Amino acid sequence: MCGILFAVRTCHAAAGLAATASTEGLLLGASWAAAAESRSPTAAAAATAAGATVGATAAAEGEEPTARESGWVLDGGDDRGDLPATTSTAQPPALWPRLAALVARRGPDASQHRAWSVPPPLPPSPTSPPPPQPQQQHQPHLHCRLFASVLHLRGPAVHPQPVAYADDSQLCFNGELYAAPSFPVPSGASDIALLAAALHRDVPDTAVHEGAEDRGGGEVVVDPVVRRLLGTLSAVRGEWAFLFHHAPSRRVFFGRDRLGRRSLLWHWPAPVAAAEANGGGDGAVAPEDAGSFWVSSVACAVDLPALSPPPPSDEGGEEDAMAEGGGGGGRPFWSEVPTDGVYALDLAAWSRSAVFSPEFITMYPWESSATPRAGAAQLISPLVTTLVRTLPGPTDLLPAPANPSTATLTLPPLPADPTHALHAALASFESLLAEAVRLRVETTPTPPISTASTPPTVAILFSGGLDCTVLAALADRALPPDTAIDLLNVAFENPRANAAAASAQQKQRRRRPESAAAAAGARDLYAVPDRKTGRLGAKELAVRCPRRVWRFVEIDVPYEEAVAERERVLGLTVPAESVMDLSIAIAFWFAARGRGTAVSPATGARTPHYTTPSRVLLSGLGADEQLGGYSRHRAKFQSIRGDGEGADAAATAAAWERLLDELQLDVSRIGARNLGRDDRVVSDLGREVRFPYLAEPVVTFLSGLPVHLKTDPRHPRGVGDKLLLRLLADRLGLARAAVEAKRAVQFGARTAKMESARETGDMVAVPRPSDEAPPVSYAVTLALALLLLASPCINSSKPLPVTVLMWDYSADVSSGSSSTWSDLGKPTALVLCDYAQGAFQWVGPSSGLRGNSLKLGSWRTHPP
C-alpha cells in the first residue's frame, strides 16, 4: 500500500536561472532538507516535522543557491540536447507539511520526497537562444512536488516509492494487483515492481507530446504513451489508485480503479485574484494552497470553501465540469477523483500559459469491451455493472409465506430439481467469492511486530453479521491452519443510550425491586447489539472451524476517548462531512486500531491489552448494494406490490422492475460513495482494508444474475434480503448467521446519536474536543437560572421532568461575544431537567450544524 501526495503551482524564477533550463530536474527529499538547513534552521525543523524524507524550505525567493552549489539536481536532458536542468525557488505550499504527515501515517515502512520544476518551453532551435533578459525580470514556471509512503504488504522486500525511471519519470501505486488473464501476478510478487516493469516496457522512454488526441479525417489518433498506459491499466485486476509522471511528455497521469476502492482526492487551482482575496485569517486557505493543483490519498480540513472549478463527476461527465470554468464558490476544497476514467494533467501546456485552465486536464473514460474502437486507445473496464433485466416467472421463485411480517426466520429449501438455476448460481457464487478471499489473504506477510504465539496475518471487521461471518469462514478455508484470524469487534459507550437504560432500570427497580437489584451490577456499558451478535458469530466459527485459532477482539471505546479522537477521524472523512459519515468512520477507525481484549471463543480465555498485529483487514462492504440488503430495496418492492397474495401479476412485475432500478442505482454509484472514505480511515492506522465482495469477477457475475436469484423481498427480513448469500452461509454451516438481519454499523456499535436522539445522518458534523464545554447562550443560562429559582417549589423526592422551550441564538458566551434579546429567533431547543436524577440536559436540533445554532451538552448537578 502507498500514500500519495502531489502538488503543482505556478512560481516565478529569475530569468537568468530559467533561460538555460531544459527538462525537469529531480530533487531528492534528503538533499532538499539538507539545503534548507544550510539556509535556515527553522526550515530544517519543518522538514523533519513532516517526516524524515519530507522537505520544507522557509527561505524567501531569491535566497536560493544555484543548482550546482546546492547539489540538489540530478542532471537530465531532453530530445534537444544535454542541457543543464533547472532548480526552483519556490517554497512548499502551506498545506504540504500537514498533508505529508497524514500521508506518512499510511505507510510507515518507507517514504520518499521528490520535487522538480517545469520551465516554459525553449525555442525550437537550441542553437538560437533568445537574447538574455534583465536579471530583475521573472519568468513563470511550474514547481512540482511528489511524496509517497509505503506500507509493505506484498513481495520479499520493501520497494520505496516514488519509483524513479532513468528518464526521470516516476510512479506511485497504492493498492494490490491480482492475477488476470492478460496480466499474470506470480505468488509473492511485488505489485509495484510488476507494474513499474510493465510501464517501463510499454511506455516509450521518449515521446513527443502534441496533445492527447489529434483528429484527422474523422479518425482519432492517440499518442503511444496514452495507448500503452491505458492498455496496461485495462489488463490489471485489483484495488488501486496511481500517479504516473511521464517526464518526456511532461504529463501526470492519475486515477482510481473502476469501483474507487482506494482513496484519491484532488483540488483544482483557483484564480490567483480570488485565492489572494480569500487567503487570510487563521486556518484559512493560503493563496499558494488554493492556487495549487493537488492530488492526495488523504486530505486535511480547511476553513474556507474551494475557489476551484468543479471537477468532473461520475454523473455529469467531463464536459459538464469543464464548461463551468473557474469560480466554484462554496464548493468543498477537496473532492474525490471520479472513478469514471483515468486523468492526465498536461504540465507542458500549463507551463506555456502560466495560468491554469481546465483544458489542461484530459479524461480517458472507462469503456466496455463490447464496444471496441479501431485505432483508438481504450481504457477497458474489468467488470460489468449493468444489471440484467430478466424478471422471474411463476416457476422461477421459491415458495414464499403469505404474510412475511409474521413468518418465522427459516430459509426456504433449495429446489428439488438439480437443474434449477439457483443451484448453479449458488455454486458459482461460492467459487468466485472463495477465490476473491483467497487472493486477498494468501500472500499477506507475517506482521513485523507481533507478541502473539500464533500471529494473525489477516483480521476481519467483525460484527457477527452475515457478510463478515461468511468472509471469516472462507478465510479459514484459504489460510494455513497454523495462522490465527482476529475478529475485530467494536463497541462504544453511548451516554444517551446508557442514560435510557439506566432510566429503564430505575423504573424496573420500583416495580420489581428484587429482580432489579440482582441485575443492577451486571449492566455492561458495551453490551451493544454488535457485541452480542459478534460473540455469537465467533462461537459459531469456533464450532464450525475448531482447528483455527480465532481471537475475538473486544474493542471498548469510552465516550471521552471517542470525543477526543473525533476531530482526527472527521478530518479523514473529508470531503464527506455528514454526521452519518462521522458515525460510520469513527467505528471503522477504532476497529481498525485493533486495541482491546482478545477472547478465545472456544475457551473463554481473555488476554487484556491486546493489539492486533495484522496489517490486512477484510470488509464485507459491497454485499448489501449488490444483493438487496438495504431496507430501501424491500420498500421499493413493497411500495408497488404490497404484501400478501392479493397482488396481481402486473403489480408484481412492476415491483421487480422498481427493485431492479434501485439495485442498479446502488451498484452504479459504489465508486462515488464510501469506499474512499473507508480507505482513508483504515489506512490512517497503517493498515489496508480489502473488499472481497467487490472483486471484479464477483461483481460481474452478480450483475449478470437475474434479480430473483439474488434477493427476494417476498420473504421476511433476514431471509429474503441477500437470499443468495444466506443460502451460501447455510451451505457453509453458518445457520445462525444465515438468518441474521442487517444492521448498520453506526447502530450496531452505537456510534450514532451519542448525545441526542434528534441527530440525523445528513447533518454536518463538527468536532468538539473532549475538554470543551458546549457553547451556552444567554437564553440557556437564563432558563437554567429560572429553573433553579423555581426548584424549591418542586418535590424532589419524585421524578418530575421539567421542559422549557428555548430559542435559537446568534452569539455564544464561549466566543466572548454578547447577545441581546433581539438575537433570539425561532424556538429550536428544549431544556430537560430531571430533579430525581439530579440531571440537566439541553437538546438542540443538531450537534453538527455550523453557525448560530445550539449544540448538545449535559451537566450533572444536585437539586437545591
Side-chain angles (χ1 to χ4, degrees), residues 392-423:
T395 61
D396 296 327
L397 298 170
L398 299 179
N403 188 354
S405 60
T406 60
T408 59
L409 295 182
T410 304
L411 289 176
L414 288 171
D417 182 5
T419 64
H420 193 282
L422 187 57
H423 288 282

Side-chain angles (χ1 to χ4, degrees), residues 801-863:
V802 179
T803 301
V804 178
L805 188 64
M806 290 310 302
W807 290 265
D808 194 12
Y809 68 99
S810 62
D812 61 70
V813 175
S814 62
S815 65
S817 57
S818 60
S819 179
T820 64
W821 286 108
S822 62
D823 295 325
L824 300 180
K826 59 184 179 180
T828 57
L830 298 175
V831 177
L832 308 177
C833 303
D834 188 340
Y835 281 88
Q837 294 297 309
F840 296 93
Q841 185 177 24
W842 56 278
V843 183
S846 168
S847 63
L849 291 179
R850 298 183 186 275
N852 303 321
S853 59
L854 290 172
K855 291 187 178 181
L856 302 175
S858 61
W859 299 267
R860 288 204 168 271
T861 182
H862 297 283

Side-chain angles (χ1 to χ4, degrees), residues 126-386:
T127 61
S128 305
Q133 301 295 323
Q135 190 69 24
Q136 65 272 17
Q137 294 186 9
H138 288 74
Q139 189 171 358
H141 69 281
L142 299 181
H143 182 67
C144 307
R145 287 174 176 269
L146 179 60
F147 172 66
S149 62
V150 176
L151 177 70
H152 176 55
L153 296 174
R154 300 276 288 272
V158 178
H159 286 263
Q161 298 190 43
V163 174
Y165 294 86
D167 62 357
D168 286 355
S169 296
Q170 301 163 83
L171 171 66
C172 295
F173 179 77
N174 173 30
E176 308 297 330
L177 298 181
Y178 307 111
S182 55
F183 196 94
V185 179
S187 179
S190 169
D191 305 280
I192 184 63
L194 289 175
L195 187 62
L199 291 180
H200 180 72
R201 179 179 64 249
D202 292 341
V203 178
D205 290 338
T206 59
V208 179
H209 175 48
E210 298 294 344
E213 293 186 351
D214 295 323
R215 299 180 181 271
E219 184 178 358
V220 178
V221 179
V222 182
D223 64 66
V225 177
V226 173
R227 181 189 304 277
R228 294 172 184 176
L229 175 64
L230 298 188
T232 301
L233 295 177
S234 299
V236 303
R237 301 291 182 269
E239 308 103 345
W240 52 264
F242 84 103
L243 185 144
F244 177 61
H245 167 229
H246 187 246
S249 65
R250 299 184 180 183
R251 279 175 291 176
V252 176
F253 299 88
F254 57 94
R256 308 161 69 193
D257 69 72
R258 187 66 183 90
L259 294 176
R261 289 165 288 184
R262 291 291 170 260
S263 171
L264 203 62
L265 307 171
W266 64 358
H267 166 76
W268 288 20
V272 176
E276 292 178 350
N278 291 275
D282 294 337
V285 181
E288 62 267 28
D289 294 329
S292 299
F293 182 91
W294 294 89
V295 176
S296 180
S297 297
V298 65
C300 55
V302 293
D303 291 348
L304 293 181
L307 306 167
S308 61
S313 65
D314 288 341
E315 292 79 10
E318 180 189 18
E319 292 78 7
D320 293 346
M322 300 302 186
E324 296 193 38
R331 297 182 182 275
F333 186 89
W334 298 100
S335 57
E336 302 266 6
V337 173
T339 60
D340 51 359
V342 167
Y343 291 82
L345 172 63
D346 191 340
L347 299 177
W350 188 355
S351 68
R352 282 193 293 267
S353 70
V355 177
F356 176 81
S357 169
E359 296 177 355
F360 302 154
I361 297 180
T362 302
M363 189 267 283
Y364 302 96
W366 290 104
E367 300 183 59
S368 170
S369 58
T371 57
R373 293 186 289 115
Q378 288 184 275
L379 184 64
I380 303 300
S381 175
L383 50 83
V384 175
T385 57
T386 301

